[in-house]
Amino acid sequence: MTTETTSTTSTTTGIALTDVAAAKVAALLAQEGRDDLNLRVAVQPGGCSGLRYQLYFDDRNMDGDVIREFGAVKVITDKMSDPYLSGATIDFVDTIEKQGFTIDNPNAQGSCACGDSFN
């Protein structure tokens, strides 16, 4: 079950992390040897389509952050990025053609060929 918490509410909507992606994040965190890190997902200006995704490990909690738990993995989005990511699904693919995290975002009206930016 997925849970989301803000300073005053708890709900089950927003960004989703597949089981495969959650397992990969947990494995990467285990490699780091730190239990104080969370996966932060943000939307920043830039890229060839106007906005780009950022995924990184972070030990900070900022005012207005939205925290969602997927098993032992916590995913944090800032209050400005969260509306852009509502309904998005993060997955991890490992094929001969591609390896890495992917984001399927129903809010994106268009994206660049590399898939790293959207509008």
Side-chain angles (χ1 to χ4, degrees):
M1 178 165 168
T2 315
T3 60
E4 169 187 331
T5 58
T6 62
S7 58
T8 59
T9 63
S10 179
T11 181
T12 57
T13 62
I15 197 167
L17 192 66
T18 67
D19 291 342
V20 173
K24 184 62 177 178
V25 170
L28 291 170
L29 286 171
Q31 281 182 334
E32 291 290 321
R34 293 180 58 186
D35 60 0
D36 63 330
L37 297 175
N38 302 303
L39 178 65
R40 182 172 290 276
V41 183
V43 173
Q44 299 289 320
C48 46
S49 292
L51 297 170
R52 65 187 170 96
Y53 300 110
Q54 288 191 324
L55 282 81
Y56 56 96
F57 292 127
D58 196 358
D59 62 355
R60 299 171 297 148
N61 286 319
M62 295 183 268
D63 188 37
D65 277 351
V66 179
I67 303 168
R68 296 178 181 90
E69 294 182 55
F70 302 89
V73 174
K74 289 183 181 178
V75 177
I76 299 175
T77 55
D78 61 83
K79 64 183 172 183
M80 298 301 286
S81 298
D82 197 60
Y84 291 104
L85 297 166
S86 183
T89 301
I90 299 175
D91 196 7
F92 184 81
V93 295
D94 189 3
T95 67
I96 196 164
E97 296 173 335
K98 184 176 183 178
Q99 181 182 43
F101 290 97
T102 62
I103 299 176
D104 179 20
N105 189 347
N107 300 309
Q109 296 179 2
S111 64
C112 63
C114 67
D116 289 335
S117 67
F118 70 100
N119 60 22

